[in-house]
Amino acid sequence: NVYFKDLPSSTTQEDFEKLFTPFGTVTSSMLSQNNGKPYGFVNFEKHDDAVKAVEEMNQKEVDGNTLYVSRAQNKAERQEFLRKRRQQLLEKTKNCNLYIRNLSDNVTEQTLRDTFSKYGTITSCKLMADRDGASRGFGFVCFSNQEEAGKALKSNEKLDGKPLYVAVAQRKAERRALMEVQHARRANFSHLSAYPRGFPAHPSNFAPGPVPPPMGWPKEPVRFTGAGQFFRVNQRGGAPGGMPDAQLLLDQLRGTIAVNHPESASQIANIIFDSFKEIGIEEIHNLMKNPAALQEKINEASAILAKDQKPE
């Protein structure tokens, strides 16, 4: 059984049969399409005829198309082949594929490519969109080597007046592993996060009566931003300079999640919140404006939570 693909889009059943009948007796054949791209299977009566068809037809030019012809694989063989090919691609593009976010709705895939092409040869560029074709505010740019990607990584590019966030793209498994580590850290050291650096780690360590803040620490109330920093709270209760209020963001995130996950909303929100600390919690604003991206994060956090709660 032989598999044909990359056939000319105009290929008919008659055209298809003409390609393989010279090699021997055929017991069955099938021509189909996938998104307008023809492919097919041909079963020869004799094994030697099938081998000859593969040897002579694979990589052959037909009407400007280079054919791919090989022995047809069963489902298990196909899955293993695809797994190995994905692994090879990942190794080839390791630290070459960049994740770009904070893109405005006006940014197109060509704009993204043009912006980063000055750093090197771009092998692929993808702007992520929802089902309606609207931009999801992020995309991927893959360079031909790590050196070029490194130059782009250090850039301070802006598009449509917005500074871009650029990082090495992570596989889903890597991103989930990082979220699990952050979740475990929160679970193990959550009692420490409520105290600014320089304060005793636990309430039991406080001496009786009020404890003055460390030298140099502002006397005004402070609030944790969630990004490893504290800021003074102004008289209106917000953050100066238009900085996002960490607690307000967390409350909004928790409330959104609670619609479908009322019992675990707080835990899911904390996991998502932690994953944004290193890149800036202001990105949670963008996440909450994108239902599809938010749902993806909720699914990842739910899986981590379920794994954490699973009895050993």
Side-chain angles (χ1 to χ4, degrees):
N1 196 15
V2 177
Y3 172 61
F4 285 73
K5 75 169 186 175
D6 296 335
L7 297 158
S9 58
S10 59
T11 302
T12 64
Q13 182 67 34
E14 184 180 357
D15 296 331
F16 187 47
E17 292 176 358
K18 288 180 180 179
L19 292 174
F20 53 77
T21 49
F23 299 102
T25 303
V26 173
T27 59
S28 64
S29 66
M30 182 199 76
L31 179 66
S32 187
Q33 287 194 352
N34 180 23
N35 294 325
K37 298 179 180 180
Y39 69 95
F41 295 90
V42 180
N43 196 68
F44 289 91
E45 185 178 54
K46 297 180 180 179
H47 172 74
D48 290 344
D49 293 341
V51 171
K52 187 176 181 180
V54 172
E55 290 176 347
E56 295 194 19
M57 294 300 292
N58 188 40
Q59 300 300 307
K60 182 177 181 179
E61 291 283 337
V62 176
D63 295 339
N65 287 54
T66 303
L67 302 185
Y68 174 85
V69 184
S70 70
R71 178 180 66 84
Q73 300 172 319
N74 59 38
K75 186 176 181 179
E77 289 176 323
R78 180 65 177 165
Q79 290 177 337
E80 179 63 15
F81 170 77
L82 292 175
R83 186 193 67 79
K84 288 183 177 179
R85 190 170 70 174
R86 282 194 298 268
Q87 188 61 38
Q88 290 172 351
L89 180 61
L90 288 171
E91 290 298 325
K92 184 179 179 181
T93 61
K94 187 176 181 180
N95 296 328
C96 296
N97 194 23
L98 300 183
Y99 168 62
I100 320 291
R101 68 186 297 165
N102 203 31
L103 301 172
S104 72
D105 295 339
N106 298 324
V107 175
T108 65
E109 199 165 280
Q110 188 59 48
T111 304
L112 190 61
R113 179 182 288 273
D114 291 343
T115 301
F116 285 91
S117 60
K118 60 189 173 187
Y119 298 107
T121 302
I122 295 177
T123 58
S124 66
C125 178
K126 180 69 174 177
L127 179 66
M128 305 306 293
D130 59 22
R131 293 180 180 178
D132 299 324
S135 172
R136 294 178 61 184
F138 70 93
F140 298 89
V141 175
C142 189
F143 289 89
S144 60
N145 58 60
Q146 295 182 17
E147 183 180 356
E148 295 172 346
K151 293 177 182 178
L153 194 61
K154 298 175 182 178
S155 67
N156 294 307
E157 292 290 346
K158 287 186 178 182
L159 274 178
D160 204 21
K162 299 177 66 176
L164 302 184
Y165 171 79
V166 183
V168 175
Q170 293 178 311
R171 289 183 294 170
K172 190 173 183 179
E174 292 175 338
R175 189 171 67 250
R176 178 169 291 182
L178 177 61
M179 291 177 70
E180 287 179 352
V181 170
Q182 292 170 331
H183 174 58
R185 188 179 299 151
R186 169 182 279 270
N188 292 332
F189 301 102
S190 59
H191 63 283
L192 296 177
S193 62
Y195 304 97
R197 183 173 297 179
F199 276 76
H202 192 274
S204 62
N205 294 331
F206 280 104
V211 178
M215 185 173 295
W217 189 261
K219 296 181 180 180
E220 295 87 351
V222 293
R223 184 172 291 138
F224 183 48
T225 67
Q229 298 176 336
F230 289 82
F231 57 78
R232 301 182 184 183
V233 178
N234 59 29
Q235 293 179 351
R236 297 182 181 179
M243 290 179 63
D245 186 312
Q247 187 58 51
L248 180 60
L249 274 177
L250 183 57
D251 291 342
Q252 290 175 343
L253 181 62
R254 187 182 297 118
T256 302
I257 297 171
V259 175
N260 296 316
H261 303 272
E263 295 182 357
S264 55
S266 293
Q267 293 166 297
I268 293 174
N270 286 337
I271 294 173
I272 296 175
F273 195 83
D274 282 346
S275 70
F276 276 83
K277 285 182 178 179
E278 294 183 3
I279 62 176
I281 60 169
E282 65 275 3
E283 289 295 333
I284 293 179
H285 276 303
N286 297 328
L287 179 68
M288 294 180 67
K289 293 177 183 177
N290 191 325
L294 176 59
Q295 188 58 53
E296 184 178 346
K297 287 292 184 182
I298 291 174
N299 292 341
E300 289 181 355
S302 297
I304 293 171
L305 187 61
K307 180 180 178 181
D308 187 54
Q309 295 177 342
K310 186 177 180 180
E312 297 182 358

